């Protein structure tokens, strides 16, 4: 048996039980990056992608989106030599079913390894509503079904999933996610970190290194 003081001490000072791509901020598993429409979610996701992709041999990012230009512009801004980074992108067209999108992600994660010689460390979904349908963040059954399938892919490749949501509080996925990052006023704040201590912020993230 451990007292609450002992448990808190473990959380504060021992290595995290869940591997973290960005320590104290982005764990392996299912994560949500949430913020208002127009708040810069895609730019923020690209900044995190750059951090992961430049972190050494482990880094590699698969970016799933309905518009690849969301990725190209910010990545060139953040990293002029972004073409040399291990970053791949797939566009998901309109009218593709949720199950087909999951299949595309699973297939491209395998293809990513054959192209770059390593599995993706991070898979970005930009955004939940554009890839899986409007209103998914408020639909428990749909969102949990998608999150469970994404978690299975995450476990296969031991990678982090980052789902972008224009619902500022993360919607019904807040409880389901392993990590929740909230974007406000050009600051990213980790408000949930399963098996860890949340509260870390990333300011001036467009210039993060």
């Amino acid at each position: 048996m451990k007292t609450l003081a002992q448990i808190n001490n473990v959380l504060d000072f021992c290595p995290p039980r869940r591997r973290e791509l960005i320590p104290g901020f982005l764990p392996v598993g299912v994560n949500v990056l949430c913020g208002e429409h127009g708040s810069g979610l895609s730019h923020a996701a690209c900044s995190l992608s750059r951090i992961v992709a430049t972190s050494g041999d482990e880094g590699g990012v698969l970016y799933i989106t309905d518009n690849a230009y969301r990725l190209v512009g910010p990545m060139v801004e953040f990293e002029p030599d972004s073409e040399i980074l291990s970053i791949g992108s797939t566009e998901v067209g309109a009218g593709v079913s949720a199950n087909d999108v999951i299949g595309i992600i699973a297939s491209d994660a395998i293809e990513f390894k054959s192209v770059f010689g390593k599995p993706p460390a991070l898979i970005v979904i930009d955004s939940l509503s554009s890839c899986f349908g409007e209103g998914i963040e408020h639909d428990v059954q749909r969102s949990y079904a998608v999150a469970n399938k994404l978690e299975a892919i995450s476990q296969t490749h031991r990678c982090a999933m980052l789902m972008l949501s224009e619902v500022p509080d993360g919607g019904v996925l807040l409880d389901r996610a392993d990590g929740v990052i909230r974007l406000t006023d050009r600051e990213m704040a980790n408000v949930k970190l399963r098996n860890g201590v949340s509260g870390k912020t990333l300011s001036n993230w467009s210039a993060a290194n």
Side-chain angles (χ1 to χ4, degrees):
M1 185 187 76
K2 289 185 175 68
T3 66
L4 287 178
Q6 290 170 326
I7 293 171
N8 282 329
N9 185 66
V10 168
L11 290 175
D12 287 340
F13 299 108
C14 291
R17 293 166 59 189
R18 182 180 294 272
R19 188 166 65 91
E20 298 172 357
L21 292 185
I22 301 177
F25 203 79
L26 182 64
V28 165
V30 175
N31 299 269
V32 178
L33 172 62
C34 55
E36 297 279 359
H37 175 74
S39 62
L41 284 169
S42 294
H43 266 66
C46 286
S47 179
L48 294 175
S49 297
R50 172 187 174 269
I51 293 171
V52 171
T54 56
S55 64
D57 292 339
E58 182 181 54
V61 180
L62 174 60
Y63 203 100
I64 310 296
T65 179
D66 66 333
N67 184 350
Y69 288 105
R70 292 180 182 174
L71 170 67
V72 175
M75 284 308 303
V76 172
E77 173 189 338
F78 296 140
E79 185 66 45
D81 295 325
S82 58
E83 289 186 5
I84 67 174
L85 299 179
S86 300
I87 297 178
S89 179
T90 296
E91 280 192 339
V92 177
V96 180
S97 71
N99 283 335
D100 285 344
V101 173
I102 293 293
I104 290 170
I105 296 171
S107 175
D108 281 5
I110 295 172
E111 183 182 358
F112 187 98
K113 185 173 182 179
S114 68
V115 171
F116 294 105
K118 55 190 172 186
L122 172 65
I123 299 177
V124 178
I125 313 295
D126 184 3
S127 63
L128 267 172
S129 59
S130 63
C131 291
F132 293 105
E134 294 291 336
I136 186 171
E137 293 98 330
H138 301 292
D139 187 321
V140 174
Q141 185 173 358
R142 286 171 59 205
S143 62
Y144 273 49
V146 166
N148 289 341
K149 291 175 181 177
L150 291 177
E151 183 172 43
I153 297 173
S154 168
Q155 290 175 349
T156 297
H157 299 286
R158 301 185 64 216
C159 67
M161 290 281 178
L162 183 65
M163 306 180 290
L164 276 58
S165 170
E166 292 181 346
V167 176
D169 64 357
V172 297
L173 284 168
L174 184 64
D175 290 334
R176 174 63 181 79
D178 298 306
V180 177
I181 302 168
R182 191 164 291 151
L183 176 63
T184 56
D185 298 327
R186 296 191 66 79
E187 177 182 84
M188 286 187 276
N190 180 284
V191 297
K192 178 183 178 182
L193 187 63
R194 194 183 302 279
N195 298 330
V197 180
S198 62
K200 184 173 181 178
T201 61
L202 184 60
S203 302
N204 192 27
W205 46 262
S206 62
N209 53 40

